[in-house]
Amino acid sequence: MRHVEEHDAEPKFRAIIGKGGARRGIRLESVYWDGLAWLLNGSRQSLGDVVDQAAGQMGENGNLASMLRVLAFRWMWRRLSLMENVYSVENLNALIQACPTPAIVLTRDKKIQFFNEPFMTMLKQKLVLGNIAQLSAGFRFVLDTQVDEALQSLSSRGKMITTGFTATCAGKQLTGQMNLAMAPSHQKQMVIGYVVRG
């Protein structure tokens, strides 16, 4: 369970004016007011419009504050579901496969999660490999920058970083450079590496 900020649960009273000047006094926890404000960000609707809609959806003896909590939570839930779909590992793999240049995805524990055909072609050509079976026996891929350090740098600065890499297999070695970016994935932290020189 994530830590809840003390002010999140603090109830706040606000007077909201809807269409036709209808004034409603509503008491909600701060986190719900924040959620409703986020919901409306970039929208043409006002908070008064949302309150009017919520009032129209509840029954005669309904609780407007409860309806607004449900509305805020339901919107966040839908938004989260959409984002989790967009930032899935399946979509990340599709992103890598669509890249026309050599690209890979590395996990925090330095494992290759995904790679594309141009990356495989580069390895075959530069390491002079006859077939894919050679690559699976004793292949090593190492970045000059630790993946943990790269993830920390990328998450705090939101930038791309350039680092060197070394690929070795069957006594042959390939060195080069790649640009690293934070992989768009909600499931675990990973980096995308785009080879710029190999």
Side-chain angles (χ1 to χ4, degrees):
M1 190 76 155
R2 299 265 174 170
H3 176 70
V4 175
E5 298 293 332
E6 189 177 327
H7 69 277
D8 285 345
E10 182 185 332
K12 285 193 177 171
F13 179 86
R14 290 179 67 177
I16 307 296
I17 300 173
K19 287 180 181 168
R23 182 184 167 102
R24 294 180 175 95
I26 303 164
R27 190 177 179 85
L28 284 176
E29 293 79 7
S30 294
V31 70
Y32 287 107
W33 288 122
D34 292 345
L36 289 167
W38 193 17
L39 184 152
L40 290 167
N41 190 21
S43 166
R44 292 182 181 178
Q45 286 190 308
S46 69
L47 189 53
D49 293 334
V50 172
V51 170
D52 283 345
Q53 288 170 12
Q57 289 182 51
M58 64 182 199
E60 207 172 293
N61 298 316
N63 183 311
L64 184 56
S66 292
M67 182 59 78
L68 286 167
R69 286 186 191 96
V70 169
L71 192 116
F73 183 78
R74 175 64 69 187
W75 181 85
M76 293 288 185
W77 195 356
R78 283 191 192 122
R79 184 71 182 250
L80 177 63
S81 177
L82 175 67
M83 291 299 106
E84 285 190 349
N85 182 49
V86 170
Y87 295 105
S88 67
V89 290
E90 294 81 13
N91 281 342
L92 174 58
N93 186 33
L95 196 67
I96 293 301
Q97 300 314 316
C99 182
T101 59
I104 63 169
V105 174
L106 294 166
T107 63
R108 184 180 284 278
D109 55 356
K110 306 172 195 168
K111 291 189 173 129
I112 296 177
Q113 181 83 27
F114 302 117
F115 59 87
N116 62 5
E117 192 57 40
F119 182 79
M120 183 58 66
T121 301
M122 177 193 73
L123 293 179
K124 283 182 184 174
Q125 290 173 349
K126 303 282 180 154
L127 295 175
V128 197
L129 301 173
N131 56 54
I132 193 87
Q134 284 182 278
L135 196 59
S136 60
F139 175 72
R140 287 191 73 230
F141 186 87
V142 180
L143 293 178
D144 292 351
T145 305
Q146 290 293 323
V147 176
D148 267 341
E149 289 174 23
L151 283 167
Q152 189 174 2
S153 176
L154 291 167
S155 62
S156 63
R157 297 184 204 148
K159 296 180 183 176
M160 174 225 41
I161 58 175
T162 301
T163 187
F165 71 85
T166 304
T168 56
C169 185
K172 299 183 181 75
Q173 181 172 292
L174 164 67
T175 59
Q177 277 193 323
M178 61 175 28
N179 293 332
L180 299 179
M182 185 72 81
S185 171
H186 72 91
Q187 288 155 312
K188 56 184 172 181
Q189 283 194 321
M190 296 179 279
V191 294
I192 300 179
Y194 299 98
V195 176
V196 291
R197 184 177 61 79

